[in-house]
Every structure is written in C-alpha cells, then in structure tokens.
Amino acid sequence: MLKDLMRLGVGSALLAKEKMEEEIKELIEKGRMSKEEAEKLIEKAKAKGEEQERAIREEIKKALKEVLDEMGLATKEDLEKLREELGKKESEKR
C-alpha cells in the first residue's frame, strides 16, 4: 500500500510538471513570458516541490514510527541498546 501511494505521488508530480512545462512553453511562444521568467518560475516550483518532498518524507517517517510503536516492534535503536547491554554483561562475566 505504501509503495502504491508513493507511485501515485510520483506519477501525479510528473503529470503536474509536464503540464506546467507545456503551459510555460505556450506562454513563451505567445510572448507573455520571457525565457528568463520561465526559468525563474521553474526553479521556484522545483524548490517548492523539494520542500514538499522533505515534508512528506518526514510525515511518512513519523507515521511509520507510530505504527511500529503500536505494533511493539523493536527499532534499530532498541536493538543497538540491547547489544550494548549484552556486551556489558558478557564483559562482567569475564
């Protein structure tokens, strides 16, 4: 399900990008926008998209962590702490 959501998001982003490029090309051809303005607009949209991507990634991480917590599954951090504790007990035995 998560993979499907990611694919849907990527597909939607690609469609939006293609549509935006078509619209900008049309505006340039009609003389309503210069190439420099178009480049600035594209860069601004790209930066906004990257910002949104970071935010979405953080939300996904948060949601996954909540699910793991609810399921009671061990995280990498939990396993590392356990390894450290076992290592200490092993050295105390010696």
Side-chain angles (χ1 to χ4, degrees), residues 32-66:
R32 294 184 180 163
M33 180 181 281
S34 70
K35 283 189 176 187
E36 292 79 22
E37 290 171 324
E39 288 172 6
K40 287 180 184 176
L41 181 61
I42 290 169
E43 284 302 314
K44 187 176 179 180
K46 183 179 174 184
K48 180 91 171 162
E50 289 170 354
E51 179 184 320
Q52 289 175 342
E53 179 184 359
R54 281 189 294 277
I56 290 169
R57 285 180 186 267
E58 287 304 313
E59 287 297 317
I60 290 171
K61 284 181 186 179
K62 182 180 173 184
L64 288 174
K65 183 166 178 26
E66 288 175 8

Side-chain angles (χ1 to χ4, degrees), residues 15 17 42 45 61 64 66 84 89 92:
L15 287 174
K17 178 183 179 263
I42 290 169
K61 284 181 186 179
L64 288 174
E66 288 175 8
E84 288 175 14
K89 288 184 181 189
E92 287 174 3

Side-chain angles (χ1 to χ4, degrees), residues 79-89:
L79 294 175
E80 189 58 40
K81 287 178 186 176
L82 184 58
R83 283 188 189 110
E84 288 175 14
E85 289 176 23
L86 288 173
K88 287 179 185 176
K89 288 184 181 189

Side-chain angles (χ1 to χ4, degrees), residues 4-21:
D4 291 338
L5 289 174
M6 293 296 287
R7 288 182 187 134
L8 178 62
V10 170
S12 297
L14 288 174
L15 287 174
K17 178 183 179 263
E18 289 173 3
K19 182 67 175 167
M20 183 178 145
E21 288 173 346

